[in-house]
Amino acid sequence: MQDPSLLTGKQRQLVQFLQTQSQISSLQEFCQQHPELDFNFVKGFLLSGALDPHVELQERTQGQWVLTSKGQHLNGQIPGAILAEKLMQGLVQVEPLQAELGSDFSLNYGALRKENAVDMVMQDDTRIITILDPTILQTLQQRQRQFSKIFSDAIATDPTDPTDTTGATATTNADWQWFEEQGWVERQSGQDYQVAIAPTLQTLSVPPLVTTLTSDLLISGKWQEVELKPYNIQDHVPDVAYGRPTILSQCIQRLREIFLGMGFNEMSGYLVESAFWNFDALFTPQDHPAREVQDTFYLANPRTVPLPSDLNLREQVKQVHEQNYGGTWTEAEASKAILRAHTTTSTARKLHQLQGQSGKYFSIDKVFRNETVDRTHLAEFHQIEGVVIGELLSVRTLMGYLNYFYQQLGFQKLKFKPTYNPYTEPSLEIYAYHPPSHKYLEVGNSGLFRPEMLAPLNCDRKSTIAWGLGLERIAMILYDVEELSDLVGSEIKFL
Ligand code: PHE
């Protein structure tokens, strides 16, 4: 017998309950009658020997007959029974029987014929059924009555069920066997126990366990008498769903790993930029439509951002603009503060910082455009920027990098289409094949930087390839999300 002081609160409750009993003939039934008792819990506890020798368990295998699915399919009708009923009533003419029973007729007749109980003969131009063995039909009728009852009970009880006193439908062992042979019923055995409880159990003192130390217990001093539940620091605590990265963050991390794997370094920039780094350093004329407020967010505070301290850079940018576009290039326009409209600002800053050194850089960062917001457009989104500075880089190299990158994400086919950017020549739009929609979707823009852009940044001796790709589009495709609002904000209804 286990030390009673080690019993849990639940076990104590059970012991107290058992103390009021002397004999349980079926533990299964007992637990059914007392819903607060879980059969498996009680069984496990008693089988563990915790209450030995006060309690004695005896196994009882109790079989139950239940309908098989084949039996259930019969819908309570034994084949042949309806016809047997009619024949015993003296209705033997085939035609009216066929009319009455419909498609059931042949099923019923076949069943009886198989048993050699009936036959079909001609009598004065009418087909009739003759009964060859009336006892078979009687037995069948008797079984039909039993089967109807079994069917309506759904689960039939023990063959020796003492509660069935009607006699008329009492099913004998031989009948059950017959039903079993037909494959309509089967025996299901469930484990059960008979429990003998010795009066000695009552001598056991199992005070309830106190699980909460209340102020009442403390003030009254009762805490010294009661049995307090000990702490169990080994116990499992419930799992808590901790915060986790959003889909967009997960996606960014995945792409970051691809670039790092391709030998790229990550670069960063500023959300608030000067028009200089966003446009002028990128050889975008000061009257270019993209610079208008409809497309770009200009800041009221601060209204301007200091221009780079490299006076040579400023001077060269001014010259290259004025030589190629005419007019006067002004620092006032270039120093306007904006929310960057692309991450090529980071690229331009990087090129300037490198002063002609080669390298491979990427960034995955937020950009802003003054666009109408809809299902697939937001005023802020992310760009995947990449730049490779080296020698002998060509459109082929560019396409190679992009193909490799998209392949890592599972996009097998890319298409490139010529386009125009002020700062690249040639410029290529990138389309990726999206199998579910059987379409090529625009995923980015790319090109080789023009010498007019590279020269002022002091990068003229190298060739450069660069791209800017949309992150949200890729994320929507990869994570099968239909609306941008499912990717950003606090609502995650698509999950
Ligand atoms: N900045 C371009 C855009 O926002 C993308 C781009 C980057 C194109 C680098 C060419 C080279 O669409």
Side-chain angles (χ1 to χ4, degrees):
M1 159 88 216
Q2 190 182 319
D3 178 359
S5 70
L6 294 178
L7 295 176
T8 66
K10 222 169 130 194
Q11 289 169 341
R12 281 161 199 252
Q13 270 172 10
L14 176 61
V15 173
Q16 282 168 348
F17 201 85
L18 292 176
Q19 282 175 332
T20 64
Q21 312 284 321
S22 60
Q23 162 94 14
I24 297 167
S25 57
S26 159
L27 195 59
Q28 286 261 22
E29 268 171 41
F30 186 73
C31 291
Q32 264 161 27
Q33 285 158 9
H34 302 95
E36 70 275 22
L37 299 178
D38 174 63
F39 175 72
N40 286 322
F41 166 74
V42 178
K43 180 184 101 180
F45 178 59
L46 296 182
L47 280 178
S48 76
L51 296 183
D52 289 357
H54 308 290
V55 166
E56 209 175 298
L57 234 66
Q58 212 166 49
E59 199 165 343
R60 245 182 68 151
T61 33
Q62 170 216 46
Q64 279 200 324
W65 287 103
V66 292
L67 281 171
T68 60
S69 61
K70 194 172 158 194
Q72 258 152 9
H73 262 88
L74 289 178
N75 238 338
Q77 281 297 330
I78 298 181
I82 312 177
L83 186 58
E85 181 91 37
K86 303 275 170 202
L87 296 174
M88 296 304 274
Q89 286 166 12
L91 305 166
V92 292
Q93 289 194 11
V94 173
E95 254 172 63
L97 281 171
Q98 267 177 332
E100 194 183 338
L101 300 181
S103 61
D104 280 345
F105 176 81
S106 46
L107 185 91
N108 274 264
Y109 181 75
L112 299 183
R113 182 73 206 112
K114 211 174 101 203
E115 298 287 316
N116 229 353
V118 296
D119 201 0
M120 214 180 270
V121 294
M122 290 298 281
Q123 199 179 63
D124 311 328
D125 288 346
T126 17
R127 275 191 302 160
I128 62 151
I129 297 174
T130 52
I131 301 172
L132 302 179
D133 189 344
T135 54
I136 296 182
L137 301 191
Q138 277 158 4
T139 313
L140 198 63
Q141 279 180 295
Q142 162 77 4
R143 285 188 175 138
Q144 174 58 54
R145 280 193 290 277
Q146 292 160 355
F147 195 68
S148 304
K149 181 171 185 304
I150 295 167
F151 188 77
S152 61
D153 288 354
I155 295 175
T157 41
D158 198 281
T160 52
D161 182 359
T163 57
D164 184 4
T165 50
T166 56
T169 56
T171 312
T172 66
N173 267 327
D175 293 328
W176 281 112
Q177 252 161 34
W178 187 79
F179 289 137
E180 191 180 19
E181 275 161 29
Q182 311 304 310
W184 300 336
V185 298
E186 66 190 359
R187 231 177 203 290
Q188 231 178 37
S189 56
Q191 230 182 0
D192 200 5
Y193 298 89
Q194 189 175 331
V195 188
I197 300 157
T200 49
L201 187 70
Q202 282 166 25
T203 60
L204 228 62
S205 149
V206 279
L209 260 196
V210 174
T211 51
T212 8
L213 191 58
T214 59
S215 52
D216 279 351
L217 282 173
L218 288 172
I219 294 164
S220 65
K222 279 213 188 93
W223 64 272
Q224 285 171 307
E225 295 147 36
V226 298
E227 201 165 326
L228 287 165
K229 186 183 180 185
Y231 280 111
N232 177 6
I233 55 167
Q234 239 83 54
D235 205 5
H236 287 286
V237 290
D239 279 340
V240 175
Y242 296 104
R244 56 166 203 187
T246 63
I247 285 195
L248 223 47
S249 303
Q250 289 176 41
C251 191
I252 290 174
Q253 191 51 31
R254 193 165 152 191
L255 304 182
R256 186 175 273 143
E257 273 154 25
I258 294 176
F259 280 117
L260 292 173
M262 289 165 76
F264 280 71
N265 286 312
E266 191 161 2
M267 61 183 176
S268 62
Y270 305 94
L271 298 183
V272 173
E273 263 295 5
S274 59
F276 181 86
W277 284 114
N278 197 88
F279 297 119
D280 300 278
L282 295 174
F283 196 47
T284 304
Q286 291 200 320
D287 60 357
H288 193 279
R291 298 179 75 133
E292 279 168 30
V293 283
Q294 294 94 307
D295 290 315
T296 302
F297 288 115
Y298 284 84
L299 295 191
N301 182 19
R303 199 170 279 282
T304 60
V305 166
L307 290 177
S309 53
D310 182 347
L311 293 178
N312 193 33
L313 168 66
R314 277 149 70 168
E315 186 49 37
Q316 282 200 52
V317 167
K318 180 178 170 70
Q319 272 176 28
V320 82
H321 274 253
E322 288 180 355
Q323 277 163 18
N324 287 279
Y325 297 128
T328 317
W329 182 87
T330 69
E331 294 206 338
E333 188 60 39
S335 57
K336 281 184 179 164
I338 61 163
L339 293 178
R340 70 168 171 217
H342 53 191
T343 41
T344 315
T345 49
S346 307
T347 300
R349 281 175 177 275
K350 194 52 148 185
L351 290 173
H352 178 241
Q353 186 198 345
L354 287 173
Q355 292 290 308
Q357 291 175 69
S358 48
K360 300 193 280 190
Y361 294 88
F362 78 97
S363 81
I364 306 171
D365 251 323
K366 202 176 258 190
V367 298
F368 306 86
R369 293 200 191 159
N370 198 355
E371 296 201 56
T372 323
V373 173
D374 64 20
R375 275 178 76 236
T376 52
H377 290 94
L378 280 182
E380 55 173 273
F381 54 96
H382 291 77
Q383 274 191 331
I384 307 161
E385 185 86 11
V387 60
V388 182
I389 312 125
E391 306 286 354
L392 300 175
L393 301 171
S394 66
V395 169
R396 270 275 148 222
T397 334
L398 172 66
M399 287 159 68
Y401 273 112
L402 291 170
N403 265 315
Y404 182 84
F405 169 73
Y406 279 105
Q407 262 170 27
Q408 304 303 298
L409 298 173
F411 296 96
Q412 298 298 336
K413 288 187 264 180
L414 289 193
K415 268 189 185 175
F416 297 90
K417 198 171 117 183
T419 186
Y420 171 79
N421 292 317
Y423 40 96
T424 49
E425 182 58 36
S427 306
L428 294 84
E429 267 173 2
I430 309 148
Y431 292 80
Y433 187 66
H434 180 230
S437 63
H438 305 290
K439 270 192 212 147
Y440 279 90
L441 305 176
E442 195 191 332
V443 289
N445 189 350
S446 62
L448 275 72
F449 285 133
R450 296 178 73 111
E452 292 90 335
M453 166 181 162
L454 293 175
L457 294 169
N458 228 357
C459 191
D460 56 335
R461 285 180 306 271
K462 305 276 178 177
S463 49
T464 56
I465 55 179
W467 55 83
L469 319 171
L471 172 71
E472 280 77 1
R473 171 73 28 114
I474 293 180
M476 284 169 84
I477 295 173
L478 288 184
Y479 293 86
D480 202 17
V481 168
E482 268 168 33
E483 301 203 18
L484 255 183
S485 59
D486 287 336
L487 280 185
V488 291
S490 53
E491 251 187 292
I492 45 169
K493 54 181 190 288
F494 77 99
L495 280 181

